[in-house]
């Protein structure tokens, strides 16, 4: 029984360490920053910066994390946690897509007052939805910093809605905050888990 608990504890530590490389944070921050820049400059071409960073997730994982940890395969609770995360995110994204489609189709039929209210608070609504997704992802994955990102998303969106500042500015600041956090995590990860060759080199020098 104690060996089983030790194995679970070891697996959980490996799972958490594998997600302390900051890659998710860097890409999330870069995507939010790109979205903020698109808002600031009102250039549809910049929308590519919103989703393109996520294309680099697996290449970065393979180049940075895999050489240090190997291609981690989790079983039991970790596998179920990963599966639940994917299902929750897919469900939320699908819900968001259908909600957006419904609003788009029904937008011309709603009362002008409601239409104006939605128009004035679009970013606040989007921020609330993004915060919800981050909070659910935090609960599903056990990555507590996602709760912080959820709170920051709400805070920055409220600031952009009610303060005399362009919403694109607060969105860029949010993205840069998450991006810098990711870079700090990545630097710590690289120091804590050097490549085997680097580790051998250090051992040879001492």
């Amino acid at each position: 029984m104690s060996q089983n608990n030790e194995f679970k504890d070891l697996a959980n530590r490996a799972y958490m360490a594998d997600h302390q490389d900051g890659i998710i944070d860097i890409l999330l921050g870069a995507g939010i920053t790109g979205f903020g820049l698109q808002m600031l400059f009102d250039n549809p071409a910049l929308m590519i910066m919103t989703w393109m960073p996520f294309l680099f997730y697996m290449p970065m994982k393979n180049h940075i994390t895999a050489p240090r940890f190997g291609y981690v395969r989790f079983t039991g609770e970790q596998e179920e946690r990963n599966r639940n995360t994917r299902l929750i995110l897919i469900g939320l994204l699908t819900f968001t897509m259908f909600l957006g489609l419904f609003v788009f189709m029904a937008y011309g039929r709603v009362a002008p007052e409601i239409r104006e209210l939605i128009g004035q608070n679009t970013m606040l609504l989007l921020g609330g939805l993004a915060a919800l997704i981050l909070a659910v992802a935090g609960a599903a994955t056990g990555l507590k910093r996602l709760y912080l990102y959820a709170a920051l998303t709400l805070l920055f969106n409220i600031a952009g809605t009610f303060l005399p500042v362009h919403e694109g500015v607060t969105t860029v600041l949010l993205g840069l905050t998450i991006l810098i956090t990711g870079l700090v995590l990545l630097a710590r990860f690289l120091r804590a888990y050097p490549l085997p060759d680097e580790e051998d080199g250090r051992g040879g020098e001492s």
Side-chain angles (χ1 to χ4, degrees), residues 89-133:
L89 291 178
I90 290 172
L92 285 173
L93 289 174
T94 303
F95 169 77
T96 304
M97 181 183 69
F98 280 107
L99 179 63
L101 181 63
F102 171 78
V103 171
F104 176 77
M105 294 178 64
Y107 197 76
R109 303 173 189 173
V110 298
E113 296 81 9
I114 298 178
R115 190 185 314 158
E116 183 179 357
L117 182 64
I118 293 175
Q120 291 176 349
N121 298 282
T122 299
M123 285 305 300
L124 193 59
L125 295 172
L126 289 176
L129 181 60
L132 175 63
I133 292 174

Side-chain angles (χ1 to χ4, degrees), residues 5-93:
N5 290 335
E6 289 177 3
F7 175 78
K8 286 183 178 181
D9 182 60
L10 183 62
N12 188 60
R13 288 184 184 179
Y15 171 85
M16 297 304 294
D18 184 67
H19 288 80
Q20 293 299 322
D21 52 19
I23 292 176
I24 292 177
D25 314 68
I26 292 171
L27 300 182
L28 178 63
I32 294 174
T33 301
F35 183 60
L37 291 174
Q38 189 277 329
M39 294 172 62
L40 274 174
F41 296 103
D42 196 22
N43 186 347
L46 293 175
M47 280 300 293
I48 193 173
M49 296 176 62
T50 301
W51 55 264
M52 179 173 280
F54 295 98
L55 298 179
F56 294 95
Y57 177 75
M58 286 310 301
M60 291 180 71
K61 270 289 186 182
N62 292 336
H63 182 72
I64 296 172
T65 311
R68 290 166 170 82
F69 279 171
Y71 294 89
V72 182
R73 294 288 183 268
F74 298 108
T75 58
E77 294 180 1
Q78 278 68 39
E79 183 179 0
E80 183 179 356
R81 187 184 297 177
N82 287 337
R83 183 170 59 249
N84 289 342
T85 302
R86 289 192 295 268
L87 290 175
I88 290 171
L89 291 178
I90 290 172
L92 285 173
L93 289 174

